[in-house]
Amino acid sequence: MTTAPGGVRAGARVLARGDGRGGTALPVLEGEGPLALRRTRGSGAEARVMLVGAMSGPLGGDHFTVDVHARSGARLRVGSAAATLALPGQDKAGARYDVRLTVDEGAELCWLPEQLISAGGSDLRVTTSADLAPGARLLLREEQVLGRAGEEPGRLTSRLTVRIEGRCVLDQELACGPGAPGGWDGPAGLAGHRAVGQVVVVRPEFAGRPPAAYVYEEGAAVMPLAGPAALVSAVAPDGLRLRRLLDGALASLD
């Protein structure tokens, strides 16, 4: 971790691989500064890792990076102990939070962090990229809440990219809050809602039986992607309702 006038620079790395005995080993589990990693009790062949925020942030000028790689034979679930709260800082520059996920053939990764809250006055850009080999499996959830209770949101820009066998199947960007392009909160955008999220599901069996596109409930929809994948998108008035919509739509895929 480094601290400079421009903010804190910190990273975390997780490397998982099959241990040859039907389980998952974690030869690399490294975190620094605000990005502390803890291995928790797993289930069966699955290893579980918790991202624990050891400091406030990201604040203005901070740049956090998380790199997770699931190698062949690994089953890995990564979550977070609490919501991430983007806050304004003394540095007027925006903050960045970059997540890079890599899943090799025959591996499975569940990326399930808690919600990201964009507090008033903050300015955060989040990028999440996932690269999958053939036969890889992925469950990825992202949830953003715009402002705390009774608070106007900060500026939040979120980009999500998913590639399977080098082919881009999803590349979307959402900008919200002060300074975002006009219409972000209108009928074609969030329509007045203050929570937005998506779940990406990649399963090899979708290649032969892709899910149909349908509206799960008001505010939530399931869409097949151009690959063995599906996207669940939802908007809601608050984070609790958002989680219920995403969980329900995900369960409907089964």
Side-chain angles (χ1 to χ4, degrees), residues 151-193:
E151 178 184 59
E152 289 299 311
R155 172 72 182 269
L156 175 64
T157 303
S158 176
R159 183 167 185 175
L160 173 61
T161 307
V162 179
R163 301 179 185 86
I164 302 175
E165 299 183 55
R167 179 188 182 190
C168 185
V169 300
L170 177 66
D171 190 355
Q172 68 176 27
E173 183 170 290
L174 176 67
C176 306
W184 69 270
D185 201 22
L190 300 188
H193 292 97

Side-chain angles (χ1 to χ4, degrees), residues 109-112 137-141 199-202 250:
L109 172 62
C110 297
W111 173 255
L112 301 170
R137 305 174 72 90
L138 174 70
L139 174 61
L140 181 156
R141 182 183 68 213
V199 173
V200 177
V201 185
V202 180
L250 178 61

Side-chain angles (χ1 to χ4, degrees), residues 10-22:
R13 291 180 60 224
V14 181
L15 175 63
R17 58 171 174 78
D19 63 6
R21 303 186 302 274

